[in-house]
């Protein structure tokens, strides 16, 4: 299995995944980073771990199709058969998603379908609900949508600030995402009627 992690920013999830691969806990032949932001901190993390970086800046292309074609072409060189979105701040087209059908996984910092969108943690915090969480799911043509692989709740305590809630969520993400990727890579995930089911889990 050859993995491409797509990320645009900080890259803490990217690094959590890479650490598990390096420890041999996730069996991957090769991993590359795809990044659309030249100044992103995730690039520094990749270089620190000697991970190859594919930098494809959206500004260099006149439209999304050309941008995605460039990504697809670059991915061919690495025979990529699994994509993990980890804070990739671009919506992928239905055509791109179809090309990698059931092979694109995303992490979202809420219990989907609650709090979709780019400000999920803040939206949950502002809503004064008592819990939120983390979802790892397959990507389909809708944003923040698709069959759920793993989902776990995070309590919002009265004493929580937005920063403390963010911290709790990110800590959980760093466990849940590698765990979900491992299940996929070990062939323990099957689809039944559009839902994910597990084999020997
Ligand atoms: C995470 O909260 C993830 O759930 C969301 O984007 C954030 C990325 O954080 N999709 P990082 O760049 O991995 O630190």
């Amino acid at each position: 299995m050859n993995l491409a992690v797509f990320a645009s920013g900080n890259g803490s999830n990217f690094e959590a995944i890479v650490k598990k691969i390096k420890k041999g806990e996730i069996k991957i032949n090769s991993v590359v980073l795809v990044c659309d932001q030249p100044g992103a901190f995730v690039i520094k993390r990749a270089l620190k771990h000697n991970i190859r970086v594919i930098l494809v800046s959206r500004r260099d292309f006149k439209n999304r199709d050309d941008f995605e074609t460039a990504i697809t072409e670059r991915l061919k060189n690495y025979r990529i058969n699994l994509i993990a979105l980890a804070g990739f701040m671009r919506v992928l087209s239905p055509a791109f998603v179809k090309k990698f059908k059931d092979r694109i996984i995303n992490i979202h910092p809420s219990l989907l379908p609650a709090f979709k969108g780019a400000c999920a943690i803040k939206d949950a915090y502002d809503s004064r609900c008592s819990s939120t969480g983390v979802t790892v799911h397959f990507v389909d043509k809708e944003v923040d949508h698709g069959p759920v692989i793993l989902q776990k709740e995070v309590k919002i305590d009265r004493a929580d600030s937005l920063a403390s809630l963010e911290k709790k969520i990110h800590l959980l993400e760093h466990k849940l995402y590698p765990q979900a990727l491992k299940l996929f890579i070990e062939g323990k995930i099957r689809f039944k009627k559009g839902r994910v089911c597990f084999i020997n889990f």
Side-chain angles (χ1 to χ4, degrees):
M1 188 82 67
N2 299 316
L3 170 70
V5 181
F6 285 32
S8 304
N10 177 30
S12 66
N13 280 283
F14 163 79
E15 192 161 12
I17 294 165
V18 166
K19 283 183 177 165
K20 294 285 182 192
I21 293 170
K22 288 201 156 178
K23 279 188 187 161
E25 290 175 32
I26 303 181
K27 304 263 182 276
I28 284 283
N29 294 332
S30 70
V31 54
V32 295
L33 169 70
V34 173
C35 183
D36 61 321
Q37 295 294 333
F41 188 64
V42 67
I43 295 175
K44 290 207 170 91
R45 295 189 197 255
L47 298 178
K48 184 176 80 185
H49 290 283
N50 286 318
I51 305 290
R52 216 173 275 267
V53 179
I54 299 176
L55 184 60
V56 189
S57 178
R58 175 68 181 82
R59 270 182 247 140
D60 296 341
F61 302 91
K62 66 175 188 304
N63 56 42
R64 182 171 69 175
D65 280 359
D66 291 357
F67 170 67
E68 290 183 349
T69 302
I71 294 177
T72 308
E73 284 305 310
R74 302 281 299 274
L75 291 185
K76 277 184 193 157
N77 300 332
Y78 301 95
R79 297 170 186 270
I80 294 301
N81 38 21
L82 176 62
I83 293 174
L85 307 181
F88 189 62
M89 301 308 284
R90 302 256 163 216
V91 175
L92 296 167
S93 69
F96 187 91
V97 172
K98 202 171 162 196
K99 231 176 266 170
F100 291 92
K101 189 173 169 0
D102 301 336
R103 296 210 156 245
I104 308 179
I105 294 176
N106 182 43
I107 186 160
H108 186 78
S110 78
L111 291 178
L112 288 174
F115 304 114
K116 294 180 177 184
C119 305
I121 305 178
K122 185 172 187 306
D123 290 346
Y125 183 77
D126 289 346
S127 78
R128 295 169 181 263
C129 57
S130 58
S131 71
T132 179
V134 171
T135 305
V136 182
H137 65 98
F138 285 101
V139 171
D140 65 12
K141 54 186 189 326
E142 279 178 57
V143 176
D144 295 333
H145 187 268
V148 170
I149 303 172
L150 293 176
Q151 201 166 41
K152 211 161 178 185
E153 187 184 30
V154 172
K155 294 267 177 237
I156 307 177
D157 298 320
R158 281 205 183 156
D160 268 325
S161 61
L162 177 58
S164 69
L165 178 62
E166 282 170 345
K167 198 170 170 191
K168 286 200 279 192
I169 287 193
H170 293 315
L171 279 175
L172 175 60
E173 286 186 326
H174 301 159
K175 287 187 190 144
L176 213 64
Y177 210 178
Q179 201 183 332
L181 292 175
K182 188 174 157 70
L183 285 169
F184 180 83
I185 287 157
E186 292 179 354
K188 291 186 174 158
I189 295 176
R190 293 280 182 275
F191 286 101
K192 252 189 195 171
K193 293 178 185 163
R195 281 174 181 267
V196 166
C197 60
F198 299 105
I199 299 164
N200 300 329
F201 177 51

